[in-house]
Amino acid sequence: MTDFSRLGVAAIRDGVANGEFKAVEVAEALNTRVAGAKALNAFIVETPEMAVAAAQAVDADRAAGKPLGKMAGVPIGMKDLFCTEGVQTTAASHMLEGFVPTYESTVSANLWKAGAGMLGKLNLDQFAMGSSNETSYFGNVISPWRRNDGGNAALAPGGSSGGSSSAIAARLCPAATGTDTGGSIRQPAAFVGISGIKPTYGRCSRWGVVAFASSLDQAGPMARDVRDCAIMLEAMAGFDPKDSTSLDLPVPAWEAALNSDLKGKRIGIPREYRLDGIDEDIAKMWDNGIAWLKDAGAEIVDISLPHTKYALPAYYIIAPAEASSNLARYDGVRFGLRDLPEGAGLQDMYAATRAAGFGEEVRRRIMIGTYVLSAGFYDAYYTQAQKVRALIARDFENAWASCDLILAPTAPSAAFGLGEKNADPLSMYLNDVFAVPASLAGLPAMSVPGGLDKQGLPLGLQIIGKALDEQAVLNAGLAIEQRSGFTAEAGEWW
Ligand code: GLN
């Protein structure tokens, strides 16, 4: 009997289309796996009946000879930042506990239209703020991976899309949605040995996605290989008049154009990313990545992105600034939680609701954001950060004169243990150091598995491309995937 948990997006789609198995069989098998993996805490809400209903519709369409969508019969996990009609959407915050949207996000609607079904809503860092999934109101997500030291230390699945990464690595679902504001698709993908791509800003509609930092937020797919990411991105992307930053461009046929022959491509290696004291295993993996791309026909060039060191500080001003503005809407009146102490007035209700509804990290960001936007400090912090952002974007523009793609590590370390970094926000923020420059510049960037470190944990290689050139990013990802021989899996302890 087929073990459906081993099939990816393409294999499920093709098997359903060819009549090898029914979509309902796949949905039922994965529903069972989801139900059996509570220890990972990857899902906030499970929706087995929705997965089955979508699968039944696909099986009926096939029986009737109707054309099937790009994701027909593929059950996926939905990050709980996407509004889903009739299904609680929380952004992993107490503030939105019990909030049931009356509308569907454009990205999730596109996926359902393409024939995908929903296994459930995936846990994440609260309002997508975090790098370890430890800021969720609904508890930590645990990575299925463990160190090879014989200990049982619970490891972070990365963040903020930690439910997505953990569920895919544990083979609860072949793919899941992620969102990436400053690395939240790429870093969790790297931590659990899967792939994920953040497309060019504007490729996927933000409509119906709970906003964090609107000038950076972008949705994208996470899956176990590059082809599956290409398929799912095609289903997610597309112009949406309801999002003013949506790009009015056709969606390329990324899957059909996958090609790992990189002859004629120049790959830039940014010297500023070779930080002093860089982890030895990360440096080795990066060198391997360079060798694999060379083997695929690419030419390797040394490049400079001189403003790299300012990217992290600029991000941690701009993202909180936008967050403080976006999160002003949670006032106890319109959405979710209301905390109305006896005899309290309107201001007291706002204060009580926001104090009770937001977690510590969210409150920290709102305070930082409010501070950097305040009249006396606006120019010193916010305006300055925007200038730095422009310089970072220009660094990439200049780099494209000598290269077509950039190769770097996704994160400076392998997965860390739960609780290891959350007492010190700065050390947590530092984990985003390689991810945020591409976010600030709005460029497509992908993480693919690059190997294992000494502790037996996955490491990710990041490929950054020119705006709108997701194809080149995916192709380089495929070239790495074909050479890295990465087949490691987490042992099934849960
Ligand atoms: N880890 C980063 C942060 O905490 C990025 C989060 C994201 O991309 N949503 O802001």
Side-chain angles (χ1 to χ4, degrees), residues 221-246:
M222 298 167 74
R224 285 194 294 270
D225 67 27
V226 172
R227 176 174 299 273
D228 287 358
C229 286
I231 296 168
M232 187 160 162
L233 184 58
E234 279 182 41
M236 294 169 72
F239 175 59
D240 178 9
K242 289 190 286 206
D243 172 0
S244 61
T245 61
S246 169

Side-chain angles (χ1 to χ4, degrees), residues 23-24 27-28 31 47-59 117-119:
V24 167
E28 281 169 353
N31 280 339
T47 55
E49 61 305 325
M50 296 184 84
V52 168
Q56 281 168 339
V58 167
D59 287 335
M118 182 162 80
L119 293 161

Side-chain angles (χ1 to χ4, degrees), residues 374-399:
S374 61
F377 297 101
Y378 192 97
D379 280 340
Y381 292 106
Y382 186 68
T383 309
Q384 193 70 5
Q386 292 289 23
K387 287 183 188 161
V388 170
R389 183 177 189 176
L391 291 172
I392 286 163
R394 198 179 309 157
D395 280 357
F396 282 106
E397 279 307 315
N398 292 338

Side-chain angles (χ1 to χ4, degrees), residues 79 81 125 127-132 159-161 179-187 212 217 315-316 319-320 361 365 428-429 431-432 435-436 439:
K79 186 176 182 179
L81 202 64
D125 275 302
F127 284 101
M129 297 174 189
S131 309
S132 64
S160 64
S161 310
T179 61
D180 192 311
T181 302
S184 279
I185 288 175
R186 292 162 281 158
Q187 184 257 20
F212 166 9
D217 296 345
Y315 171 83
Y316 275 99
E361 180 63 23
R365 307 253 183 146
M428 188 71 85
Y429 298 168
N431 209 258
D432 302 332
V436 296
S439 300

Side-chain angles (χ1 to χ4, degrees), residues 78-153:
M78 185 59 60
K79 186 176 182 179
D80 199 23
L81 202 64
F82 292 82
C83 286
T84 41
E85 188 179 349
V87 179
Q88 175 183 259
T89 300
T90 65
S93 181
H94 183 40
M95 185 60 92
L96 284 175
E97 199 175 8
F99 170 59
V100 178
T102 52
Y103 45 84
E104 188 75 30
S105 81
T106 300
V107 161
S108 53
N110 287 347
L111 286 163
W112 312 147
K113 232 178 292 156
M118 182 162 80
L119 293 161
K121 302 295 293 285
L122 291 159
N123 207 341
L124 66 150
D125 275 302
Q126 191 161 158
F127 284 101
M129 297 174 189
S131 309
S132 64
N133 218 120
E134 291 172 285
T135 71
S136 168
Y137 176 72
F138 299 95
N140 298 337
V141 175
I142 300 178
S143 168
W145 288 85
R146 286 181 166 175
R147 294 184 179 120
N148 59 11
D149 58 6
N152 292 337

